[in-house]
Amino acid sequence: MRELDGRRARPYFQLWRQRDGATVAHSESLRSTRLPKPEGVTDEPRLWNLDGPAGPARALAIAFRLPPPLEEREEQQAAPSAALELMVVKSRNDLDRTLATLALVLVGTGGLLLAATIAAVPPLLTRQLAPLKDLTEHAAGINAPSLSTRFQTGPLPEELAPIGLALNALVSRLEQAFERERRFSADVAHELRTPIAELRALAELAMRWPESRDLHLESEALGIAAQMEGVVTRLLALLRSERGELAVTRESADLATVMRRSWRPFAVAAARKHLSVMWQDTESGSVDIDLVLLRSILANLFENAVEYAPANGTVVIGSTFESERFAIRVANTVTALTSADAAQMFDRFWRGDAARAHGDHSGLGLALARAFARAMGGDLEAGLPEASRLTMTLTGPRRGPLS
C-alpha cells in the first residue's frame, strides 16, 4: 500500500475476465498490489466507497465486451468476444480534505453569524419595538376616568400609525358610550326621583292623617305607579331591542288601512286642538310587517304630532312605495324647534324644554320607536325641512318572510 503514497492522487484500474476472474490488465501504479474483484458487476456503472490501497477511495465498476477485429467482422468469422469487468479507483484524500475544510468554514461562519445575531438583534429589537411597548403601556393605563386621553400618533413609525389611529377611534367611541351611559343613569334617576318623592309624600300624608285621607289618594298613587311602570317597561323593551332579543313576527297587511286605524285614537285630541289633519299621497299596498311593532311606532308618531303641534296647526300624514321599500311620513307644525333638537329627538329621556313640564311623557317614545323600526329592518329619522315643520319618516322593507 505504501508503494502508492507518491501517486495516491492518480486514478488506478484493474481489468478482469468475467468468465474466470483472471486479471487481464491493471495500472502500473498498482505494482504488486491488486484490487478486490467486485461482485455483481453489470453493464450499468456502479459507484461506491471503499478502503483502497492508498486509503479511502471512490470506485467505479462496469462490465462490457470488446468488439471483434474489423477484418473478422468483414469475413463474418468473429467469435463471441469475452466479457470483461473494469474497476477504476480514485483516492478520496483530496476530496475529504476539501470537504473537511468546507465544513470547518461553514461551522466557523455559522458560529460568527450566531454570535453577531445574539449581540445585535436584541438591542435592535428593543429599539425598534420601543414604540409598540409605549403603545401597549398607554393602552393598559386607559380606564373609565381617562377615556378623554388619546394616543400620540406623531412619534409612531409608519407601520404603527394606523394602529394608533384605530385605537384613538376606539377610545373615542368608548368615551361616547360611557358618556351616554352616564347621561342615561342620570336621566333614569331624575325621571324616577319625582314620582318616588310623590309616592312617599302621599304615603306620609296617609299615615299622618288616616282619618281625613282623601279618596283620590289611591287613584293618584296608582297613576304615579303606572307612570313608573311605563318607564321601566319601555327601558326593558329598549334593552331587548339593543341586544337583538326583540322577536319580530311578520304578517301581510294593507299599509294605508293600518295607518288610518292607528290614527283613530288621536282624532279626538286633534279635533280638540283644532288641528288640520291632511292625508297626502297615501298609497294602498300590501306589506309584510310586524303589526304590533308598526302600530306602536305609529302611535308614538301620531301622539307626538298631536301633542307638540300648536293649536290650529297642521298635521300631514302620507305613505309611499319605492321599489321594495315603503316610507311613512308624519309632519306637523312646530314652534321653537331647531335642527339640533331634531338630531337629539331619538336620545333616551330627551325632551324639549316646552314639554319638560308635562309629566305624562318620559322621553322614551321616539327612542323606542326607532329601536322597533330597526328591529324590523327599517329606520326612523327626523328632519326639519322648514323652520316651522317637523317631519318624521319611517322606512322599511316592503317584503319579508311570513311567520
Side-chain angles (χ1 to χ4, degrees):
M1 182 182 299
R2 297 304 177 191
E3 297 174 354
L4 302 176
D5 287 347
R7 304 178 186 178
R8 61 177 55 183
R10 300 178 183 177
Y12 40 92
F13 74 92
Q14 187 167 339
L15 188 63
W16 295 273
R17 197 166 43 237
Q18 196 176 46
R19 182 182 59 194
D20 54 9
T23 300
V24 177
H26 61 81
S27 297
E28 293 182 0
S29 58
L30 284 175
R31 298 182 182 178
S32 61
T33 308
R34 294 294 179 266
L35 298 174
K37 183 179 181 300
E39 299 293 335
V41 179
T42 65
D43 57 354
E44 293 291 334
R46 172 186 167 197
L47 292 167
W48 75 98
N49 294 324
L50 81 162
D51 190 11
R58 187 73 171 163
L60 179 144
I62 188 170
F64 62 95
R65 289 179 179 271
L66 290 175
L70 181 60
E71 58 274 11
E72 295 181 2
R73 282 183 286 170
E74 291 176 352
E75 298 176 359
Q76 298 183 355
Q77 297 176 354
S81 58
L84 301 177
E85 294 181 358
L86 174 65
M87 179 176 179
V88 180
V89 179
K90 179 72 168 63
S91 175
R92 292 186 55 208
N93 290 332
D94 293 340
L95 178 61
D96 289 344
R97 281 195 298 270
T98 302
L99 292 176
T101 303
L102 182 59
L104 182 62
V105 171
L106 291 176
V107 171
T109 304
L112 290 176
L113 287 176
L114 180 60
T117 301
I118 294 175
V121 170
L124 180 63
L125 288 177
T126 301
R127 184 170 64 254
Q128 294 297 325
L129 294 179
L132 185 59
K133 181 181 178 182
D134 295 340
L135 202 66
T136 304
E137 292 176 350
H138 191 174
I142 294 178
N143 50 34
S146 61
L147 285 175
S148 59
T149 61
R150 296 293 182 270
F151 294 88
Q152 298 297 324
T153 58
L156 292 177
E158 183 179 356
E159 296 80 4
L160 294 180
I163 298 178
L165 293 174
L167 288 175
N168 280 337
L170 173 62
V171 173
S172 179
R173 293 194 298 271
L174 288 175
E175 183 182 16
Q176 295 173 7
F178 270 79
E179 184 59 30
R180 285 197 301 270
E181 294 306 316
R182 291 191 188 101
R183 290 199 307 267
F184 175 73
S185 300
D187 289 338
V188 169
H190 174 78
E191 197 69 31
L192 295 181
R193 180 177 59 184
T194 300
I196 289 175
E198 292 175 352
L199 282 177
R200 179 178 178 179
L202 290 175
E204 291 177 348
L205 182 63
M207 292 176 63
R208 180 168 297 183
W209 294 288
E211 67 283 352
S212 60
R213 185 175 61 184
D214 192 341
L215 296 178
H216 297 287
L217 285 179
E218 289 85 354
S219 61
E220 188 174 350
L222 182 61
I224 295 173
Q227 179 186 352
M228 296 174 62
E229 181 185 13
V231 171
V232 173
T233 301
R234 291 191 172 191
L235 285 175
L236 290 175
L238 274 174
L239 182 61
R240 287 196 301 270
S241 177
E242 291 174 354
R243 289 181 175 178
E245 300 174 354
L246 193 63
V248 177
T249 303
R250 296 181 182 272
E251 55 184 299
S252 182
D254 181 73
L255 187 61
T257 302
V258 175
M259 292 172 60
R260 291 187 179 276
R261 288 178 179 175
S262 299
W263 169 255
R264 290 174 184 171
F266 306 97
V268 175
R272 191 180 301 118
K273 293 183 69 174
H274 304 287
L275 298 179
S276 175
V277 181
M278 294 181 291
W279 294 78
Q280 292 183 351
D281 302 325
T282 305
E283 299 181 16
S284 294
S286 176
V287 293
D288 298 337
I289 203 164
D290 190 309
L291 290 179
V292 175
L293 298 184
L294 178 60
R295 289 177 182 135
S296 177
I297 297 171
L298 292 175
N300 274 286
L301 298 183
F302 293 156
E303 181 182 12
N304 277 274
V306 173
E307 181 70 23
Y308 299 120
N312 301 309
T314 302
V315 175
V316 181
I317 305 170
S319 63
T320 56
F321 293 97
E322 192 170 325
S323 185
E324 292 300 317
R325 298 184 68 82
F326 70 86
I328 297 175
R329 295 175 179 85
V330 179
N332 61 278
T333 50
V334 292
T335 57
L337 190 66
T338 65
S339 299
D341 294 332
Q344 301 178 59
M345 294 184 70
F346 298 102
D347 292 346
R348 290 173 292 189
F349 294 112
W350 184 89
R351 291 174 297 185
D353 292 337
R356 198 168 283 276
H358 299 283
D360 296 336
H361 298 275
S362 63
L364 292 172
L366 290 179
L368 190 61
R370 170 175 275 186
F372 287 169
R374 291 179 174 175
M376 295 188 298
D379 204 355
L380 180 62
E381 297 177 348
L384 204 64
E386 303 174 14
S388 60
R389 182 182 294 272
L390 173 67
T391 301
M392 309 294 291
T393 304
L394 169 66
T395 58
R398 183 173 182 178
R399 299 298 176 193
L402 292 176
S403 297

